[in-house]
Coordinates of all heavy atoms in Angstrom, one line a residue:
P1 N 68.0 111.0 77.0 CA 68.8 110.6 78.0 C 68.2 110.2 79.4 O 67.1 110.6 79.6 CB 69.7 111.8 78.3 CG 69.4 112.7 77.1 CD 68.1 112.3 76.5
I2 N 68.8 109.3 80.1 CA 68.4 108.9 81.4 C 69.4 109.4 82.4 O 70.6 109.2 82.2 CB 68.2 107.3 81.5 CG1 67.3 106.8 80.5 CG2 67.8 106.9 83.0 CD1 65.8 107.1 80.8
V3 N 68.9 110.0 83.5 CA 69.8 110.5 84.6 C 69.6 109.6 85.8 O 68.5 109.5 86.4 CB 69.6 112.0 85.0 CG1 70.4 112.4 86.1 CG2 69.8 112.8 83.7
I4 N 70.7 109.0 86.3 CA 70.7 108.3 87.5 C 72.0 108.6 88.3 O 73.1 108.6 87.8 CB 70.8 106.7 87.2 CG1 69.5 106.4 86.5 CG2 70.9 105.8 88.4 CD1 69.5 104.9 86.0
D5 N 71.8 109.0 89.6 CA 73.0 109.3 90.4 C 73.9 110.3 89.9 O 75.2 110.1 90.0 CB 73.6 108.0 91.0 CG 72.7 107.1 91.8 OD1 71.8 107.7 92.4 OD2 73.0 105.9 91.7
G6 N 73.5 111.3 89.3 CA 74.3 112.4 88.8 C 75.1 112.0 87.5 O 76.0 112.7 87.0
H7 N 74.7 110.9 86.7 CA 75.2 110.5 85.5 C 74.2 110.5 84.4 O 73.0 110.0 84.7 CB 75.9 109.2 85.6 CG 77.2 109.3 86.5 ND1 77.1 109.2 87.9 CD2 78.5 109.6 86.2 CE1 78.3 109.3 88.4 NE2 79.1 109.6 87.4
A8 N 74.5 111.0 83.2 CA 73.5 110.9 82.1 C 74.0 109.7 81.3 O 75.1 109.6 80.9 CB 73.5 112.1 81.3
Y9 N 72.9 108.9 80.9 CA 73.2 107.7 80.0 C 72.4 108.1 78.7 O 71.2 108.3 78.8 CB 72.7 106.5 80.6 CG 73.5 106.2 82.0 CD1 73.0 106.6 83.2 CD2 74.7 105.3 81.9 CE1 73.7 106.4 84.3 CE2 75.3 105.1 83.1 CZ 74.8 105.6 84.3 OH 75.6 105.3 85.5
L10 N 73.1 108.1 77.6 CA 72.4 108.5 76.3 C 73.1 107.8 75.1 O 74.2 107.4 75.1 CB 72.6 110.1 76.2 CG 74.0 110.7 76.1 CD1 73.8 111.9 75.3 CD2 74.4 111.0 77.5
H11 N 72.2 107.6 74.3 CA 72.5 107.0 72.9 C 72.9 108.2 72.0 O 72.1 109.2 71.9 CB 71.4 106.3 72.3 CG 71.7 105.5 71.1 ND1 71.2 105.8 69.9 CD2 72.3 104.4 71.0 CE1 71.7 105.0 69.0 NE2 72.4 104.0 69.7
L12 N 74.0 108.1 71.3 CA 74.6 109.1 70.5 C 74.3 109.0 69.1 O 74.0 107.9 68.6 CB 76.1 109.3 70.8 CG 76.6 109.5 72.2 CD1 78.1 109.2 72.3 CD2 76.1 110.7 72.7
R13 N 74.4 110.1 68.2 CA 74.2 110.0 66.8 C 75.1 109.1 66.1 O 74.9 108.5 65.1 CB 74.2 111.4 66.1 CG 72.9 112.1 66.5 CD 72.8 113.3 65.6 NE 73.6 114.4 66.0 CZ 73.7 115.6 65.4 NH1 72.8 115.8 64.4 NH2 74.4 116.5 65.8
N14 N 76.3 108.7 66.7 CA 77.3 107.8 66.1 C 76.9 106.4 66.5 O 77.9 105.5 66.3 CB 78.8 108.2 66.5 CG 79.0 108.1 67.9 OD1 78.2 107.7 68.7 ND2 80.2 108.5 68.4
K15 N 75.8 106.1 67.0 CA 75.3 104.8 67.3 C 75.9 104.2 68.5 O 75.8 103.0 68.8 CB 75.5 103.9 66.2 CG 74.7 104.3 64.9 CD 74.9 103.3 63.8 CE 74.2 103.9 62.5 NZ 74.3 103.0 61.4
R16 N 76.7 105.0 69.3 CA 77.3 104.5 70.5 C 76.4 105.0 71.8 O 75.8 106.0 71.7 CB 78.7 105.0 70.7 CG 79.6 104.4 69.6 CD 81.0 105.1 69.5 NE 81.7 104.8 68.3 CZ 82.5 103.7 68.1 NH1 82.5 102.8 69.1 NH2 83.0 103.4 67.0
F17 N 76.6 104.2 72.9 CA 76.0 104.6 74.1 C 77.1 105.1 75.0 O 78.2 104.6 75.0 CB 75.3 103.3 74.8 CG 74.4 103.6 75.9 CD1 73.3 104.5 75.7 CD2 74.5 102.9 77.1 CE1 72.5 104.7 76.8 CE2 73.7 103.1 78.1 CZ 72.6 104.1 77.9
A18 N 76.7 106.3 75.8 CA 77.7 106.9 76.6 C 77.2 107.2 78.0 O 76.0 107.3 78.3 CB 78.1 108.3 75.9
C19 N 78.2 107.4 79.0 CA 77.8 107.9 80.3 C 78.6 109.1 80.5 O 79.9 109.2 80.4 CB 78.3 106.8 81.3 SG 78.1 107.3 83.0
I20 N 77.9 110.2 80.9 CA 78.6 111.4 81.2 C 78.3 111.9 82.7 O 77.2 111.8 83.2 CB 77.9 112.7 80.3 CG1 77.9 112.2 78.9 CG2 78.6 113.9 80.6 CD1 79.3 112.0 78.2
D21 N 79.4 112.3 83.3 CA 79.3 112.8 84.7 C 78.7 114.3 84.6 O 79.4 115.1 84.1 CB 80.6 112.8 85.4 CG 80.6 113.2 86.8 OD1 79.9 114.2 87.1 OD2 81.3 112.6 87.7
L22 N 77.5 114.4 85.2 CA 76.9 115.8 85.0 C 77.5 116.9 85.8 O 77.5 118.0 85.5 CB 75.4 115.6 85.4 CG 74.6 114.8 84.4 CD1 73.2 114.6 84.9 CD2 74.6 115.4 83.0
K23 N 78.2 116.5 86.9 CA 78.9 117.5 87.7 C 80.1 118.1 87.0 O 80.4 119.3 86.9 CB 79.2 117.0 89.0 CG 79.8 118.1 90.0 CD 80.0 117.5 91.4 CE 80.5 118.6 92.3 NZ 80.5 118.2 93.7
S24 N 81.0 117.2 86.5 CA 82.2 117.6 85.9 C 82.1 117.7 84.4 O 83.0 118.4 83.7 CB 83.3 116.6 86.2 OG 83.0 115.2 85.5
G25 N 81.1 117.1 83.8 CA 81.0 117.1 82.3 C 81.9 116.0 81.6 O 81.9 115.9 80.4
E26 N 82.5 115.2 82.5 CA 83.6 114.2 82.0 C 82.8 113.0 81.3 O 81.9 112.6 81.9 CB 84.3 113.7 83.2 CG 85.3 112.6 82.8 CD 85.9 112.0 84.1 OE1 85.7 112.5 85.1 OE2 86.7 111.0 83.9
E27 N 83.3 112.6 80.3 CA 82.8 111.4 79.6 C 83.4 110.2 80.4 O 84.6 110.1 80.5 CB 83.2 111.4 78.1 CG 82.9 110.2 77.4 CD 83.5 110.3 76.0 OE1 83.0 111.1 75.2 OE2 84.5 109.6 75.8
R28 N 82.5 109.4 80.9 CA 83.0 108.3 81.7 C 83.3 107.0 80.8 O 84.3 106.4 81.1 CB 82.0 107.9 82.8 CG 81.8 109.0 83.9 CD 83.0 109.3 84.7 NE 83.7 108.2 85.3 CZ 83.6 107.8 86.5 NH1 82.7 108.5 87.3 NH2 84.2 106.8 86.9
W29 N 82.5 106.8 79.9 CA 82.8 105.7 78.9 C 81.8 105.9 77.7 O 80.8 106.5 77.7 CB 82.6 104.4 79.5 CG 81.3 104.1 80.2 CD1 81.1 104.1 81.6 CD2 80.0 103.9 79.7 NE1 79.7 103.7 81.9 CE2 79.1 103.6 80.8 CE3 79.5 103.7 78.4 CZ2 77.7 103.3 80.6 CZ3 78.2 103.4 78.1 CH2 77.3 103.2 79.3
I30 N 82.2 105.2 76.6 CA 81.5 105.1 75.4 C 81.6 103.7 74.9 O 82.6 103.2 74.8 CB 82.0 106.1 74.2 CG1 81.7 107.5 74.7 CG2 81.3 105.8 72.9 CD1 82.1 108.6 73.7
S31 N 80.4 103.2 74.5 CA 80.3 101.7 74.1 C 80.7 101.6 72.6 O 80.8 102.6 71.9 CB 79.0 101.2 74.3 OG 78.0 101.8 73.2
K32 N 80.7 100.4 72.1 CA 80.8 100.1 70.8 C 79.5 100.5 70.1 O 78.5 100.7 70.8 CB 81.0 98.6 70.4 CG 79.9 97.7 70.8 CD 80.1 96.3 70.5 CE 78.9 95.4 70.6 NZ 79.0 94.1 70.0
P33 N 79.4 100.6 68.8 CA 78.1 101.0 68.1 C 77.0 99.9 68.3 O 77.3 98.8 68.3 CB 78.4 101.0 66.7 CG 80.0 101.2 66.6 CD 80.5 100.5 67.8
Y34 N 75.8 100.5 68.5 CA 74.6 99.7 68.7 C 73.6 100.5 68.0 O 73.3 101.7 68.3 CB 74.2 99.6 70.1 CG 74.9 98.6 71.0 CD1 76.0 99.0 71.7 CD2 74.6 97.3 71.0 CE1 76.7 98.2 72.5 CE2 75.3 96.4 71.8 CZ 76.3 96.9 72.6 OH 77.1 96.0 73.4
G35 N 72.8 100.0 67.1 CA 71.6 100.5 66.5 C 71.6 102.0 66.3 O 72.3 102.8 66.8
S36 N 70.7 102.4 65.3 CA 70.6 103.9 65.0 C 69.7 104.6 65.9 O 69.8 105.8 66.0 CB 70.0 104.0 63.6 OG 70.9 103.4 62.6
Y37 N 68.8 103.9 66.6 CA 67.8 104.5 67.4 C 67.7 103.7 68.6 O 67.6 102.5 68.7 CB 66.5 104.6 66.7 CG 65.3 104.9 67.6 CD1 65.0 106.2 68.0 CD2 64.5 103.9 68.1 CE1 63.9 106.4 68.8 CE2 63.5 104.1 69.0 CZ 63.1 105.4 69.3 OH 62.1 105.7 70.1
W38 N 67.5 104.3 69.8 CA 67.2 103.6 71.1 C 66.0 104.3 71.9 O 66.0 105.5 72.0 CB 68.3 103.5 72.1 CG 69.4 102.5 71.8 CD1 69.6 101.8 70.7 CD2 70.4 102.1 72.7 NE1 70.7 100.9 70.8 CE2 71.2 101.2 72.1 CE3 70.8 102.6 73.9 CZ2 72.3 100.6 72.6 CZ3 71.9 102.1 74.5 CH2 72.7 101.1 73.9
S39 N 65.1 103.6 72.2 CA 64.1 104.0 73.2 C 64.7 103.5 74.6 O 65.0 102.3 74.8 CB 62.7 103.3 73.0 OG 61.9 103.7 74.0
L40 N 64.8 104.5 75.6 CA 65.4 104.2 76.8 C 64.5 104.4 78.0 O 63.7 105.4 78.0 CB 66.6 105.0 77.1 CG 67.9 104.9 76.3 CD1 68.9 106.1 76.5 CD2 68.5 103.5 76.8
V41 N 64.5 103.5 78.9 CA 63.8 103.7 80.2 C 64.6 103.1 81.3 O 65.5 102.3 81.1 CB 62.4 103.0 80.3 CG1 61.4 103.6 79.3 CG2 62.5 101.4 80.2
A42 N 64.5 103.8 82.5 CA 65.2 103.3 83.7 C 64.3 102.4 84.4 O 63.1 102.5 84.5 CB 65.6 104.4 84.6
N43 N 64.9 101.3 85.1 CA 64.2 100.3 85.9 C 65.2 100.2 87.1 O 66.0 99.2 87.1 CB 63.9 99.1 85.1 CG 63.0 98.2 85.9 OD1 62.4 98.6 86.9 ND2 63.0 96.9 85.5
G44 N 65.0 101.0 88.1 CA 65.9 101.0 89.2 C 67.3 101.5 88.8 O 67.5 102.5 88.2
K45 N 68.3 100.6 89.0 CA 69.7 101.0 88.6 C 70.1 100.3 87.2 O 71.3 100.0 86.9 CB 70.7 100.5 89.6 CG 70.6 101.3 90.9 CD 71.3 102.5 90.9 CE 71.3 103.2 92.3 NZ 72.1 104.2 92.4
R46 N 69.0 99.9 86.6 CA 69.2 99.2 85.2 C 68.5 100.0 84.1 O 67.5 100.7 84.5 CB 68.7 97.8 85.2 CG 69.6 96.9 86.2 CD 69.1 95.5 86.2 NE 70.0 94.7 86.9 CZ 69.9 93.4 86.9 NH1 68.9 92.8 86.5 NH2 70.9 92.7 87.7
L47 N 69.0 100.0 83.0 CA 68.3 100.6 81.9 C 67.9 99.5 80.8 O 68.5 98.6 80.6 CB 69.4 101.4 81.1 CG 70.1 102.5 82.0 CD1 71.2 103.1 81.3 CD2 69.1 103.5 82.4
L48 N 66.8 99.8 80.2 CA 66.3 99.0 79.1 C 66.3 99.9 77.9 O 65.9 101.0 77.9 CB 64.8 98.5 79.3 CG 64.6 97.5 80.3 CD1 63.1 97.3 80.8 CD2 65.1 96.2 79.8
A49 N 66.9 99.3 76.8 CA 67.0 100.0 75.5 C 66.5 99.2 74.4 O 66.9 98.0 74.3 CB 68.5 100.3 75.3
L50 N 65.7 99.7 73.6 CA 65.1 99.0 72.5 C 65.6 99.7 71.2 O 65.4 100.9 71.0 CB 63.5 99.1 72.4 CG 62.9 98.4 71.4 CD1 63.1 96.9 71.3 CD2 61.3 98.6 71.4
D51 N 66.3 99.0 70.3 CA 66.8 99.6 69.1 C 65.7 99.4 67.9 O 64.7 98.6 68.2 CB 68.2 99.2 68.8 CG 68.3 97.8 68.2 OD1 67.3 97.1 67.9 OD2 69.4 97.3 68.1
E52 N 66.0 100.0 66.8 CA 65.1 99.8 65.7 C 65.0 98.5 65.1 O 64.1 98.2 64.3 CB 65.4 101.0 64.6 CG 66.6 100.6 63.7 CD 68.0 100.7 64.4 OE1 68.1 101.1 65.5 OE2 68.9 100.3 63.7
T53 N 65.9 97.6 65.4 CA 65.9 96.2 64.9 C 65.1 95.3 65.7 O 64.9 94.1 65.4 CB 67.3 95.6 64.8 OG1 67.8 95.4 66.0 CG2 68.2 96.6 63.9
G54 N 64.5 95.8 66.9 CA 63.8 94.9 67.7 C 64.6 94.2 68.8 O 64.1 93.4 69.5
E55 N 65.8 94.6 69.0 CA 66.7 94.1 70.0 C 66.5 94.9 71.3 O 66.6 96.1 71.3 CB 68.1 94.2 69.6 CG 69.2 93.5 70.5 CD 69.2 92.0 70.2 OE1 68.8 91.6 69.1 OE2 69.8 91.3 71.0
L56 N 66.2 94.3 72.4 CA 66.0 94.8 73.7 C 67.3 94.5 74.5 O 67.6 93.4 74.7 CB 64.7 94.2 74.4 CG 64.4 94.8 75.8 CD1 64.1 96.3 75.6 CD2 63.3 94.1 76.4
L57 N 67.9 95.6 75.1 CA 69.1 95.4 75.8 C 68.8 95.8 77.3 O 68.2 96.7 77.6 CB 70.2 96.4 75.3 CG 70.5 96.3 73.8 CD1 71.4 97.4 73.3 CD2 71.0 94.9 73.5
L58 N 69.4 95.0 78.2 CA 69.4 95.3 79.6 C 70.8 95.7 80.0 O 71.8 95.0 79.9 CB 69.0 94.1 80.5 CG 68.9 94.2 81.9 CD1 67.9 95.3 82.4 CD2 68.5 92.9 82.6
I59 N 70.9 96.9 80.5 CA 72.2 97.5 80.8 C 72.3 98.0 82.3 O 71.3 98.7 82.8 CB 72.5 98.8 79.8 CG1 72.4 98.3 78.4 CG2 73.8 99.4 80.2 CD1 72.1 99.4 77.4
E60 N 73.4 97.7 82.9 CA 73.6 98.1 84.3 C 74.0 99.6 84.2 O 74.9 100.0 83.5 CB 74.7 97.4 85.0 CG 74.8 97.8 86.4 CD 75.8 96.9 87.2 OE1 76.1 95.8 86.7 OE2 76.3 97.3 88.3
A61 N 73.3 100.5 85.0 CA 73.6 101.9 85.0 C 74.8 102.1 86.0 O 74.5 102.3 87.2 CB 72.4 102.8 85.4
T62 N 75.9 102.1 85.5 CA 77.2 102.4 86.2 C 78.2 103.2 85.6 O 78.4 103.0 84.4 CB 77.8 101.0 86.8 OG1 79.0 101.2 87.5 CG2 78.1 100.1 85.6
P63 N 78.8 104.2 86.2 CA 79.7 105.0 85.5 C 81.1 104.4 85.3 O 81.9 104.8 84.6 CB 79.8 106.2 86.5 CG 79.5 105.8 87.8 CD 78.5 104.7 87.6
E64 N 81.3 103.2 85.9 CA 82.7 102.5 85.9 C 82.9 102.0 84.4 O 84.0 102.1 84.0 CB 82.7 101.4 86.8 CG 83.0 101.7 88.3 CD 81.8 102.3 88.9 OE1 80.7 101.7 88.8 OE2 81.9 103.3 89.7
E65 N 81.9 101.4 83.8 CA 82.1 100.8 82.4 C 80.7 100.4 81.8 O 79.7 100.3 82.6 CB 83.0 99.5 82.4 CG 82.3 98.4 83.2 CD 83.2 97.2 83.4 OE1 84.2 97.1 82.7 OE2 82.8 96.3 84.3
F66 N 80.7 100.2 80.6 CA 79.5 99.8 79.9 C 79.3 98.3 80.2 O 80.3 97.5 80.0 CB 79.6 99.9 78.4 CG 78.4 99.4 77.7 CD1 77.1 100.1 77.6 CD2 78.5 98.1 77.0 CE1 76.1 99.6 76.9 CE2 77.4 97.6 76.3 CZ 76.2 98.4 76.3
R67 N 78.1 98.0 80.9 CA 77.9 96.6 81.3 C 76.6 96.1 80.7 O 75.5 96.4 81.2 CB 77.9 96.5 82.8 CG 79.2 96.6 83.4 CD 79.1 96.2 84.9 NE 80.4 96.7 85.6 CZ 80.4 97.2 86.7 NH1 79.4 97.4 87.5 NH2 81.6 97.6 87.2
L68 N 76.6 95.4 79.6 CA 75.5 94.8 79.0 C 75.2 93.5 79.8 O 76.0 92.6 79.8 CB 75.7 94.5 77.5 CG 74.5 93.8 76.8 CD1 73.4 94.6 76.8 CD2 75.0 93.3 75.4
I69 N 74.0 93.4 80.5 CA 73.6 92.3 81.2 C 73.0 91.2 80.4 O 73.3 90.1 80.6 CB 72.6 92.7 82.4 CG1 73.3 93.8 83.3 CG2 72.2 91.6 83.1 CD1 72.3 94.4 84.2
D70 N 72.1 91.6 79.5 CA 71.5 90.6 78.7 C 70.9 91.4 77.4 O 70.7 92.6 77.5 CB 70.4 90.0 79.5 CG 70.0 88.6 78.8 OD1 70.5 88.2 77.8 OD2 69.1 87.9 79.4
S71 N 70.5 90.5 76.4 CA 69.8 91.1 75.3 C 68.8 90.1 74.7 O 69.1 88.9 74.9 CB 70.7 91.6 74.1 OG 71.4 90.5 73.6
R72 N 67.8 90.5 74.2 CA 66.7 89.7 73.6 C 66.1 90.3 72.3 O 65.9 91.5 72.2 CB 65.6 89.4 74.5 CG 65.9 88.8 75.8 CD 65.9 87.3 75.7 NE 66.6 86.7 76.8 CZ 66.1 86.4 78.0 NH1 64.9 86.7 78.4 NH2 66.8 85.7 78.9
K73 N 65.8 89.5 71.3 CA 65.1 90.0 70.2 C 63.6 89.9 70.5 O 63.2 88.9 70.8 CB 65.5 89.1 69.0 CG 65.0 89.5 67.7 CD 65.9 90.6 67.1 CE 65.6 90.9 65.7 NZ 66.2 92.0 65.1
V74 N 62.9 91.0 70.5 CA 61.5 91.1 70.8 C 60.6 91.3 69.6 O 59.5 91.3 69.8 CB 61.2 92.1 72.0 CG1 62.0 91.6 73.3 CG2 61.6 93.5 71.6
S75 N 61.2 91.6 68.5 CA 60.5 91.9 67.3 C 61.2 91.5 66.1 O 62.4 91.9 66.0 CB 60.0 93.3 67.2 OG 59.3 93.6 66.0
E76 N 60.7 90.9 65.0 CA 61.3 90.6 63.8 C 61.1 91.7 62.9 O 61.7 91.8 61.9 CB 60.9 89.3 63.2 CG 61.2 88.1 64.1 CD 62.6 87.9 64.3 OE1 63.4 88.2 63.4 OE2 63.0 87.5 65.3
Q77 N 60.1 92.6 63.2 CA 59.8 93.8 62.4 C 60.6 95.0 62.9 O 60.9 95.0 64.1 CB 58.3 94.1 62.5 CG 57.4 92.9 62.0 CD 57.6 92.7 60.6 OE1 57.7 93.5 59.7 NE2 57.6 91.4 60.2
P78 N 60.9 96.1 62.1 CA 61.4 97.2 62.5 C 60.6 97.8 63.7 O 59.4 97.7 63.7 CB 61.4 98.2 61.3 CG 61.3 97.3 60.1 CD 60.5 96.0 60.6
S79 N 61.3 98.3 64.7 CA 60.6 98.8 65.9 C 61.1 100.2 66.3 O 62.3 100.4 66.5 CB 61.0 97.8 67.1 OG 60.4 98.3 68.2
W80 N 60.2 101.1 66.2 CA 60.4 102.5 66.6 C 59.6 102.8 67.8 O 59.3 104.0 68.0 CB 60.2 103.5 65.5 CG 61.1 103.1 64.3 CD1 60.8 102.3 63.3 CD2 62.4 103.6 64.1 NE1 61.9 102.3 62.4 CE2 62.9 103.1 62.9 CE3 63.2 104.5 64.7 CZ2 64.2 103.3 62.4 CZ3 64.6 104.7 64.3 CH2 65.0 104.2 63.0
A81 N 59.3 101.9 68.6 CA 58.4 102.0 69.8 C 59.0 102.5 71.0 O 60.3 102.6 71.1 CB 57.8 100.6 70.1
H82 N 58.2 103.1 71.9 CA 58.8 103.6 73.2 C 58.4 102.5 74.3 O 57.4 101.9 74.2 CB 58.0 104.8 73.6 CG 58.4 106.0 72.6 ND1 59.6 106.7 72.8 CD2 57.7 106.5 71.5 CE1 59.7 107.6 71.8 NE2 58.6 107.5 71.1
L83 N 59.4 102.3 75.1 CA 59.2 101.3 76.2 C 58.5 101.8 77.4 O 58.6 103.1 77.6 CB 60.6 100.8 76.7 CG 61.4 100.1 75.7 CD1 62.9 99.9 76.2 CD2 60.8 98.8 75.4
A84 N 57.8 101.0 78.1 CA 57.2 101.3 79.4 C 57.4 100.1 80.3 O 57.4 98.9 79.9 CB 55.8 101.6 79.2
V85 N 57.7 100.3 81.6 CA 57.7 99.3 82.6 C 56.7 99.6 83.6 O 56.6 100.7 84.2 CB 59.2 99.4 83.3 CG1 59.3 98.3 84.3 CG2 60.3 99.1 82.2
C86 N 56.0 98.5 83.9 CA 54.9 98.6 85.0 C 54.6 97.3 85.5 O 54.4 96.2 84.8 CB 53.6 99.1 84.3 SG 52.2 99.5 85.4
G87 N 54.6 97.3 86.9 CA 54.3 96.0 87.6 C 55.1 94.8 87.2 O 54.6 93.7 87.0
G88 N 56.4 95.1 86.9 CA 57.2 94.0 86.6 C 57.2 93.5 85.1 O 57.8 92.5 84.7
Q89 N 56.4 94.3 84.3 CA 56.3 93.9 82.9 C 56.8 95.0 82.1 O 56.8 96.2 82.4 CB 54.9 93.7 82.5 CG 54.2 92.5 83.2 CD 52.8 92.3 82.8 OE1 52.0 93.2 82.8 NE2 52.4 91.1 82.5
V90 N 57.4 94.6 80.8 CA 57.8 95.5 79.9 C 56.8 95.6 78.7 O 56.5 94.6 78.1 CB 59.2 95.1 79.3 CG1 59.7 96.1 78.3 CG2 60.3 95.1 80.4
F91 N 56.4 96.8 78.4 CA 55.5 97.0 77.2 C 56.2 97.7 76.1 O 56.9 98.7 76.4 CB 54.3 97.9 77.7 CG 53.5 97.2 78.8 CD1 53.8 97.4 80.1 CD2 52.4 96.3 78.4 CE1 53.0 96.7 81.1 CE2 51.7 95.7 79.4 CZ 52.0 95.9 80.8
V92 N 56.1 97.2 74.9 CA 56.6 97.8 73.7 C 55.5 98.3 72.8 O 54.5 97.5 72.5 CB 57.5 96.8 72.9 CG1 58.0 97.4 71.7 CG2 58.6 96.3 73.8

């Protein structure tokens, strides 16, 4: 999970992505299913998520709704890698 401004953003076992208000415990939203596995990193108020199919998702970290900004296929091979962001670059 990633915590930003009192909200936890996490990928669930049912393949959905969720936002939880940590103060109240309230579920703010749950997305449609995405991948079985996600590697998550925060980049400011945005999240990067890499799933096992090699799809990289850019998500706005907001408790209002799930907002997918963009997605890119970064690998044609199965990917169970961990993401890193440094100097404006993304490393897989």
Side-chain angles (χ1 to χ4, degrees):
I2 301 289
V3 175
I4 298 175
D5 295 334
H7 292 88
Y9 299 88
L10 60 152
H11 189 253
L12 306 170
R13 286 197 280 187
N14 65 4
K15 302 180 184 180
R16 298 174 191 272
F17 193 53
C19 174
I20 308 294
D21 183 315
L22 293 175
K23 186 173 183 176
S24 69
E26 176 189 359
E27 176 185 287
R28 296 298 306 262
W29 51 257
I30 292 185
S31 74
K32 70 176 189 168
Y34 285 95
S36 298
Y37 164 85
W38 278 13
S39 170
L40 288 168
V41 294
N43 189 15
K45 297 273 185 170
R46 293 181 170 182
L47 305 169
L48 286 168
L50 179 66
D51 75 11
E52 79 284 354
T53 69
E55 188 81 14
L56 181 65
L57 307 172
L58 178 62
I59 301 161
E60 185 175 345
T62 177
E64 282 78 40
E65 65 183 349
F66 176 75
R67 288 190 193 141
L68 178 63
I69 298 167
D70 202 359
S71 65
R72 299 272 161 85
K73 189 78 166 173
V74 296
S75 175
E76 295 302 323
Q77 302 295 321
S79 176
W80 298 91
H82 294 279
L83 293 171
V85 177
C86 182
Q89 295 182 315
V90 176
F91 296 89
V92 178

